[in-house]
Amino acid sequence: ARIYAGYQAALKEASALDFDDLLLKTVTLFDEAPALRERYSRKFQFVMVDEELRVTAQVACDHLRVNQH
């Protein structure tokens, strides 16, 4: 837990996000701004995801798909 706290502090200090943060921030933003979510869902019909990140990305995409209606 101490290592993770240090990792999060280092990210914050660097104004950086890791992959999970990027997904979470995107899902949160699209939940809070349905018009923006709709704009991007019209613009991008497909999203290509690296195989190593497939499971985490699939969870985020499923969340976005369920909440778009």
Side-chain angles (χ1 to χ4, degrees), residues 2 7 12-13 17 20 24 37 52 54 56 61 65 68:
R2 197 172 68 216
Y7 173 68
K12 186 174 182 176
E13 183 177 323
L17 298 171
D20 290 337
L24 181 59
R37 180 182 61 229
E52 290 296 317
R54 185 177 54 82
T56 305
C61 289
R65 189 177 310 113
Q68 74 180 4

Side-chain angles (χ1 to χ4, degrees), residues 60-69:
C61 289
D62 289 346
H63 176 82
L64 293 172
R65 189 177 310 113
V66 166
N67 289 319
Q68 74 180 4
H69 300 289

Side-chain angles (χ1 to χ4, degrees), residues 15-68:
S15 297
L17 298 171
D18 63 14
F19 183 74
D20 290 337
D21 291 337
L22 289 172
L23 288 175
L24 181 59
K25 299 276 186 193
T26 302
V27 168
T28 301
L29 176 64
F30 285 170
D31 279 347
E32 294 173 356
L36 185 65
R37 180 182 61 229
E38 180 62 29
R39 176 181 167 198
Y40 280 94
S41 70
R42 284 192 311 270
K43 184 173 182 172
F44 300 104
Q45 184 176 4
F46 299 101
V47 177
M48 187 171 170
V49 177
D50 183 279
E51 184 66 24
E52 290 296 317
L53 305 172
R54 185 177 54 82
V55 174
T56 305
Q58 186 63 50
V59 170
C61 289
D62 289 346
H63 176 82
L64 293 172
R65 189 177 310 113
V66 166
N67 289 319
Q68 74 180 4

